[in-house]
Amino acid sequence: MKTIVRVEKLAKAFRGPTGKVNALDDISFTVDAGQLTVVQGPSGCGKTTLLLAIGGLLEPDSGRVFVDGQEMHSLSADARARFRADNIGFVFQQFHLVPYLSVRENVLTAALGRIAEPEPAAKGTNELLARFGLQERARHLPAELSTGERQRTALARALLNRPKVLLADEPTGNLDPENAEKVWDCLRSFASDGGSVLVVTHDPTPARKCQQVLRLDQGRLIACA
Amino acid sequence: MRLLRLVLFEIWYRRGNFSLGVASATIAVAFLLGELAILREHDARTIRIIAAKEADTRARMATLEDDYRKITKELGFNVLILPRDQNLNELFAEDFASHTMPEEYVDRLANSRLVTIQHLLPSLQQKLKWTEVERAIILDGVRGEVPIVNADSKRPLLEPVPEGTMVVGWELHRSLKLKVGDVVKLLGREFKVGKLHPERGTKDDITVWISLKEAQLLLGEPGRINGILALECVCAADSLPKVRTEIGAVLPDTQVIEFQSQTLARAEARQRAATEARVAISRETENRAKLRQAQEDFASLAVPLASLVSAAWIGFLAFSNVRERRAEVALFRALGVRSWQIITIFLGRAVVMGLAGAGLGFGIFWLPSGAWPAAALHGIRDVRLLDPRSLLLVFIGTPALTVLASWLPTWFAAQRSPAEVLSQA
């Protein structure tokens, strides 16, 4: 299986009120294509920091991140953004939907970074809205949606550009079990289609159904199973 | 999803913030247009005032001319009769005529029954050196006034100088310390000082008057004169050609020129009136220019100040907008939206704000002006604002102002790390 994400000796520290805090400390692992990886650990252990560093949104102090063979942090900010648009999808716990755009337009925002032709993006959006059962809600604003619908909209947006990697930060944190299960189904489906998924979660249940579990504690990778 | 669509949707969503920015830009535009309108209205009014003053001056000059014509209709004026071949240039340069004519001409004129002439004064003048006292003088031989046949008996204007006497001009008698009764020699002939003239400030001050006969003898021009002064010719002010024709008919070998007469004075009066009018117009123009300069000075301070306050307010609103949209910007970065696209989103908003402000500011001044009371406008309604320069200034300048004001917050938005916001959320 092809390795899609490779993390080598990744380290990141922040200055806090009590001094230096190691958010990531010498982290190394890989995620293969078709693999769903769950990152677990207590709050503040560095899970989100790891996700942001892999996505190229946070500059590490040392170490390297490769996505599909490309070293993320050797790229300029704009080249990295372009690479991210083409290869990485993000899902957040807070959904981060644009409040003044409809469901359909929120999904289409993923195409902003690609400068893709409107036609394929529009076609892909329609397919995703149908897949996530959001056709009836396509013209609704996020404020008019249920939390489950919001997260499905965010998932549709993350998948529009057919990324190689999906990075999800507590994607089910605000959802009821039924909606949470739908999200997990979607993530597993994405992995089974050959994509790589890295999910940060507190939820122990899905860990049993994934291919890899990473346990972090105080910025250190304490287990990889 | 086009960026412009995103910009417009956001504007509608946060229309409160946007409206406040537009209002600020509108006020700045209205202020600028107001100042421009005031200045242009001032210019238009200046043109009207000056044109009215010029028209008034022309009318008054015409009236004045007519009045003068009526008033001076019965007044006389003076002419000088000279030999035909006398060069006038030489006459004015030398102060006397070098050519002579028969003294008999004056008698012929006196007997010709010309009703236009009141007084006739023949003379023989010459500029020469009074060798006995080493002075340059004008010697004037005069016969006194020659009575005109059938004319009303009037008191003669000039008494003759008795033979053997002389009348001495002010500068001469002052410098030579002459007194009435003194006997002096002139060109070898003795004369008794008969009269001393007071100061006149003319060539009379260096003139010596003696009898015409003695002058003719001294100058070797017996029976000759070189000028006849005809005083107070009675005719219309503008009838010099008529006088010339009449005299020419009697004395064909002469020429007639106007001489220090009231006609000249009238012309001078007219000139003075015209000059006064021109000065008044010039003064008015100057005052209007000063007033305009004062208004320009005020505008040059007030307009930038209003623009600055407006820009500061728009900048504050832009900063507030950026702050409110931190999560949105972070999301866009996570989706791979590049810095220039984020800058375009925020500056595009600023451009739309500027254009809306320009349109509204223009509209406030232009469209409803018909509904405003005329007194409130002070003529501004008539001023053309819809000219290309104003349009260009407003519709390019206002978006430029809003873009400049939004630049710093936008730059912060583009530079800020998305990780900070996304990890906080």
Side-chain angles (χ1 to χ4, degrees):
Chain A
M1 219 29 115
K2 185 185 177 187
T3 297
I4 298 297
V5 177
R6 191 166 82 240
V7 176
E8 290 180 356
K9 298 179 178 299
L10 201 62
K12 179 72 182 175
F14 295 106
R15 291 195 180 280
T18 55
K20 189 180 169 187
V21 177
N22 288 320
L24 298 174
D25 190 1
D26 199 28
I27 305 282
S28 297
F29 66 90
T30 59
V31 181
D32 294 338
Q35 196 174 40
L36 194 153
T37 300
V38 168
V39 183
Q40 291 187 322
S43 293
C45 69
K47 303 186 294 292
T48 299
T49 304
L50 176 65
L51 225 56
L52 294 174
I54 293 170
L57 292 170
L58 185 70
E59 199 78 28
D61 295 337
S62 63
R64 297 191 295 179
V65 174
F66 294 87
V67 176
D68 198 24
Q70 172 65 53
E71 188 184 350
M72 287 295 286
H73 298 285
S74 66
L75 296 171
S76 69
D78 274 355
R80 199 158 62 232
R82 182 76 191 269
F83 183 84
R84 191 161 51 236
D86 289 339
N87 296 285
I88 301 172
F90 271 101
V91 182
F92 303 98
Q93 183 181 0
Q94 300 296 335
F95 323 130
H96 287 311
L97 297 177
V98 180
Y100 50 86
L101 297 179
S102 68
V103 167
R104 181 182 164 73
E105 284 152 349
N106 260 291
V107 175
L108 272 169
T109 53
L112 279 175
R114 296 195 75 189
I115 321 179
E117 299 85 31
E119 191 57 37
K123 195 179 166 198
T125 301
N126 291 337
E127 287 170 4
L128 285 165
L129 290 179
R131 182 177 158 192
F132 288 105
L134 292 167
Q135 302 104 312
E136 299 299 314
R137 297 294 206 173
R139 291 176 178 275
H140 287 236
L141 292 176
E144 298 162 348
L145 303 177
S146 68
T147 49
E149 287 168 334
R150 289 181 202 177
Q151 191 58 301
R152 276 182 275 151
T153 304
L155 266 169
R157 181 181 64 195
L159 297 174
L160 180 70
N161 294 338
R162 301 181 189 283
K164 292 189 172 66
V165 184
L166 200 58
L167 302 174
D169 189 3
E170 301 278 8
T172 57
N174 289 328
L175 302 181
D176 58 70
E178 189 185 346
N179 276 307
E181 193 48 42
K182 281 180 184 171
V183 169
W184 279 113
D185 285 346
C186 170
L187 297 176
R188 277 192 290 269
S189 163
F190 178 77
S192 63
D193 288 345
S196 299
V197 182
L198 203 66
V199 186
V200 167
T201 182
H202 284 105
D203 188 356
T205 321
R208 284 175 237 129
K209 296 176 184 174
C210 67
Q211 285 78 39
Q212 184 176 222
V213 177
L214 305 175
R215 293 189 193 283
L216 293 183
D217 189 23
Q218 294 184 344
R220 285 177 163 272
L221 185 61
I222 54 169
C224 179
Chain B
M1 167 65 54
R2 303 265 182 212
L3 289 182
L4 179 63
R5 196 173 160 81
L6 192 81
V7 168
L8 295 177
F9 274 48
E10 193 277 333
I11 285 171
W12 179 246
Y13 183 70
R14 296 191 179 90
R15 47 192 176 274
N17 178 299
F18 183 78
S19 302
L20 287 172
V22 169
S24 182
T26 302
I27 290 167
V29 168
F31 213 85
L32 171 72
L33 288 177
E35 285 298 334
L36 280 177
I38 287 168
L39 288 175
R40 284 180 192 167
E41 194 275 332
H42 180 273
D43 291 347
R45 188 176 287 181
T46 300
I47 291 168
R48 284 200 300 273
I49 288 172
I50 299 302
K53 267 197 182 294
E54 280 173 350
D56 183 51
T57 302
R58 274 197 299 277
R60 282 174 58 191
M61 285 301 295
T63 308
L64 197 66
E65 187 115 347
D66 194 45
D67 288 349
Y68 269 126
R69 190 182 60 76
K70 288 172 188 163
I71 292 164
T72 60
K73 194 173 176 182
E74 300 304 324
L75 291 179
F77 63 97
N78 309 330
V79 296
L80 180 62
I81 302 161
L82 297 162
R84 175 177 284 282
D85 52 358
Q86 174 61 50
N87 182 314
L88 293 182
N89 194 59
E90 186 189 57
L91 170 80
F92 294 124
E94 296 295 328
D95 286 334
F96 71 96
S98 58
H99 292 256
T100 59
M101 57 190 169
E103 186 183 346
E104 172 266 332
Y105 275 19
V106 70
D107 299 313
R108 205 191 298 176
L109 205 57
N111 296 326
S112 64
R113 300 176 189 274
L114 292 180
V115 292
T116 55
I117 295 172
Q118 298 280 313
H119 309 278
L120 287 171
L121 303 170
S123 70
L124 177 65
Q125 282 187 352
Q126 196 170 321
K127 193 186 274 184
L128 50 80
K129 191 161 190 177
W130 186 354
T131 49
E132 285 83 353
V133 292
E134 288 292 313
R135 293 292 167 88
I137 62 163
I138 293 169
L139 182 64
D140 195 352
V142 293
R143 180 175 149 184
E145 186 175 337
V146 178
I148 295 171
V149 176
N150 293 334
D152 296 340
S153 59
K154 289 184 177 175
R155 185 176 164 272
L157 282 177
L158 188 69
E159 296 293 337
V161 180
E163 286 188 23
T165 66
M166 62 163 57
V167 178
V168 185
W170 178 78
E171 171 56 23
L172 286 175
H173 71 72
R174 185 192 66 82
S175 58
L176 297 172
K177 300 185 183 352
L178 296 177
K179 298 185 292 295
V180 174
D182 287 352
V183 176
V184 291
K185 268 195 170 180
L186 174 63
L187 304 177
R189 194 183 178 96
E190 281 195 343
F191 289 89
K192 187 179 178 183
V193 176
K195 196 176 175 184
L196 301 173
H197 268 182
E199 184 178 3
R200 287 178 176 171
T202 65
K203 66 179 183 179
D204 284 0
D205 290 346
I206 57 160
T207 300
V208 173
W209 289 268
I210 59 174
S211 76
L212 179 60
K213 193 170 278 181
E214 285 176 314
Q216 288 168 337
L217 284 173
L218 282 176
L219 299 173
E221 298 277 4
R224 307 290 291 181
I225 54 173
N226 57 5
I228 302 168
L229 197 57
L231 301 176
E232 295 183 8
C233 302
V234 179
C235 61
D238 52 358
S239 298
L240 185 60
K242 188 181 164 192
V243 176
R244 281 187 172 132
T245 308
E246 280 192 6
I247 294 174
V250 180
L251 303 173
D253 290 338
T254 59
Q255 56 179 318
V256 178
I257 62 169
E258 194 172 9
F259 182 72
Q260 296 179 341
S261 68
Q262 290 163 348
T263 302
L264 284 175
R266 285 197 296 272
E268 282 165 11
R270 282 200 300 274
Q271 286 283 357
R272 274 198 297 277
T275 306
E276 280 299 316
R278 275 196 298 274
V279 167
I281 290 170
S282 161
R283 203 174 293 133
E284 182 68 32
T285 308
E286 205 174 296
N287 287 340
R288 300 287 302 170
K290 274 183 190 165
L291 195 59
R292 193 187 198 284
Q293 187 59 50
Q295 285 173 342
E296 262 184 41
D297 290 346
F298 174 74
S300 67
L301 187 74
V303 171
L305 191 68
S307 303
L308 200 70
V309 171
S310 169
W313 176 238
I314 290 168
F316 170 76
L317 291 171
F319 182 77
S320 157
N321 183 255
V322 164
R323 192 174 165 76
E324 199 177 343
R325 295 170 73 184
R326 277 185 309 171
E328 187 184 319
V329 172
L331 170 78
F332 286 153
R333 299 298 297 271
L335 292 175
V337 175
R338 290 181 288 290
S339 300
W340 68 263
Q341 289 177 297
I342 290 170
I343 288 173
T344 304
I345 288 168
F346 281 94
L347 293 189
R349 182 181 194 271
V351 168
V352 176
M353 183 185 284
L355 288 173
L360 276 175
F362 213 93
I364 283 172
F365 251 85
W366 188 248
L367 298 176
S369 63
W372 290 5
L377 290 165
H378 299 294
I380 288 172
R381 190 207 309 246
D382 303 329
V383 179
R384 270 180 63 85
L385 280 172
L386 204 63
D387 69 284
R389 276 188 310 170
S390 293
L391 277 171
L392 207 67
L393 182 68
V394 167
F395 282 95
I396 289 181
T398 317
L401 178 81
T402 50
V403 163
L404 271 175
S406 307
W407 179 257
L408 205 61
T410 301
W411 187 81
F412 276 124
Q415 296 303 313
R416 187 157 188 184
S417 164
E420 196 183 324
V421 178
L422 293 173
S423 57
Q424 280 171 3

